[in-house]
Amino acid sequence: MKDRIATVAMQPLFVLLWSSAFIAGIVGVGAAPPLMVLFARFTVAGLLLALYVRAVGARWPHGVELRHVVVAGLLMQIVQFGAFYTAMSHQVSGAVIALVQGLNPVVIALFAGFIGETVTMRQWFGFAIGGIGVGLAVLDQSTMSMVGLLLCVVGLLGLSIGTVYQKRFVPQVDPRAATAVHVTASAPIAGLLAWAGGQLQVWDTVRFAEALIWMVLMNSIVAFLLLNHMLRRWDATRVGRLFFATPVVTAILAWLLIDQPLRPLTVAGLAVGVIGMVLASRRPAVTVERRQVVAADVR
């Protein structure tokens, strides 16, 4: 019973924390250059996560496994957030970035065959409906530049390919250690990029510190621990569809925290998006029966 409650609570908590990263990111890049924000975030989070992994005695990946975790981490951290934060500095709103990131399940589904998963026609239909929903949710909230849009696409590919890569090559790695490796490996890369781009300054120390505390504790640590834990327990398609909800939640947080209007089109997008998520989450009964038969044969 406790495990079921934890499973139910885990998903909305992850969506809320993941969505809050867009608000914190906007505050952060308003106080310092995007690569400086990343460098500080990864450095502090990497130290805290390494101490946590040591304290709980989690097993660190080694050898080939470690290399795979590093690759996944660089894709999910440096590529994703480097592109998204830079897009924010180009005046792309958090809602628009969340919209593009919300297409993550579709990209994951395109690579599903590489990780031994199948996507049914019903799920594809659900993805399409969900995509329409998240599009409606933020359609009239912001304008896009081509550079900003391109950066959003790069960030989306970093997250999606990194997710599939980890699920394909290191599905059983301890999620706590994997998250620590992701962030720790990304910190020096972010630092070198910030130094090379002349982005090591801070303009507003107070706002920078506030954004950094939230991003480190809630986004880099708690949210990614949840993400890696869910990837270990569930298939990548199930985890990926949670991202359909992030644009709507981001729009609501923006309305509550920075007074961005919550328009009727956003509410309509929420309703359509939920329908798409329900359709995408349902699998044919024959699939379940077949798995039960296979499991019985193995026993």
Side-chain angles (χ1 to χ4, degrees):
M1 182 63 179
K2 290 182 179 180
D3 184 64
R4 183 176 181 180
I5 294 175
T7 299
V8 172
M10 191 182 302
Q11 298 177 68
L13 177 60
F14 170 75
V15 171
L16 179 63
L17 291 178
W18 195 273
S19 300
S20 73
F22 299 105
I23 308 301
I26 291 173
V27 175
V29 299
L35 292 177
M36 177 60 187
V37 175
L38 280 184
F39 176 50
R41 170 179 173 171
F42 293 157
T43 300
V44 178
L47 175 61
L48 293 178
L49 281 168
L51 292 174
Y52 170 72
V53 170
R54 183 178 178 85
V56 299
R59 187 185 73 86
W60 289 96
H62 297 283
V64 175
E65 185 182 52
L66 176 60
R67 289 196 291 272
H68 285 314
V69 174
V70 169
V71 171
L74 293 179
L75 287 167
M76 297 170 73
Q77 299 284 349
I78 287 291
V79 176
Q80 180 194 186
F81 289 112
F84 284 159
Y85 281 21
T86 304
M88 290 178 185
S89 70
H90 282 266
Q91 308 305 313
V92 179
S93 73
V96 170
I97 294 174
L99 165 64
V100 177
Q101 191 190 68
L103 299 175
N104 182 48
V106 178
V107 180
I108 288 178
L110 293 174
F111 292 97
F114 292 100
I115 51 179
E117 298 176 11
T118 58
V119 182
T120 67
M121 289 302 297
R122 178 186 294 172
Q123 287 179 292
W124 276 115
F125 183 68
F127 290 147
I129 297 298
I132 293 172
V134 296
L136 289 173
V138 295
L139 183 63
D140 60 346
Q141 295 193 20
S142 302
T143 58
M144 290 189 190
S145 68
M146 288 305 297
V147 173
L149 178 59
L150 179 60
L151 287 167
C152 289
V153 172
V154 171
L156 168 64
L157 291 176
L159 171 63
S160 302
I161 296 174
T163 300
V164 171
Y165 187 95
Q166 177 161 302
K167 188 68 176 178
R168 170 65 177 83
F169 292 103
V170 282
Q172 298 304 318
V173 69
D174 190 295
R176 299 165 295 182
T179 305
V181 171
H182 287 179
V183 178
T184 303
S186 298
I189 305 299
L192 287 173
L193 292 174
W195 174 76
Q199 296 190 22
L200 290 175
Q201 66 271 29
V202 175
W203 307 310
D204 189 328
T205 305
V206 174
R207 293 182 64 199
F208 178 76
E210 292 173 346
L212 182 62
I213 290 171
W214 183 265
M215 287 187 290
V216 167
L217 296 180
M218 296 295 107
N219 303 140
S220 284
I221 296 180
V222 179
F224 266 91
L225 283 174
L226 284 172
L227 176 61
N228 282 290
H229 182 70
M230 290 187 295
L231 285 172
R232 190 176 182 183
R233 295 183 60 180
W234 305 326
D235 62 62
T237 303
R238 178 180 179 182
V239 175
R241 68 171 178 265
L242 293 176
F243 290 94
F244 272 140
T246 58
V248 176
V249 176
T250 300
I252 293 173
L253 290 177
W255 173 58
L256 292 173
L257 301 177
I258 58 176
D259 297 323
Q260 186 179 67
L262 187 59
R263 300 179 174 90
L265 197 57
T266 299
V267 178
L270 174 60
V272 174
V274 169
I275 293 173
M277 290 176 66
V278 171
L279 290 173
S281 66
R282 299 186 64 183
R283 290 180 180 273
V286 65
T287 302
V288 177
E289 293 174 357
R290 188 176 302 161
R291 287 181 177 178
Q292 291 174 341
V293 170
V294 171
D297 290 342
V298 171
R299 288 196 294 269

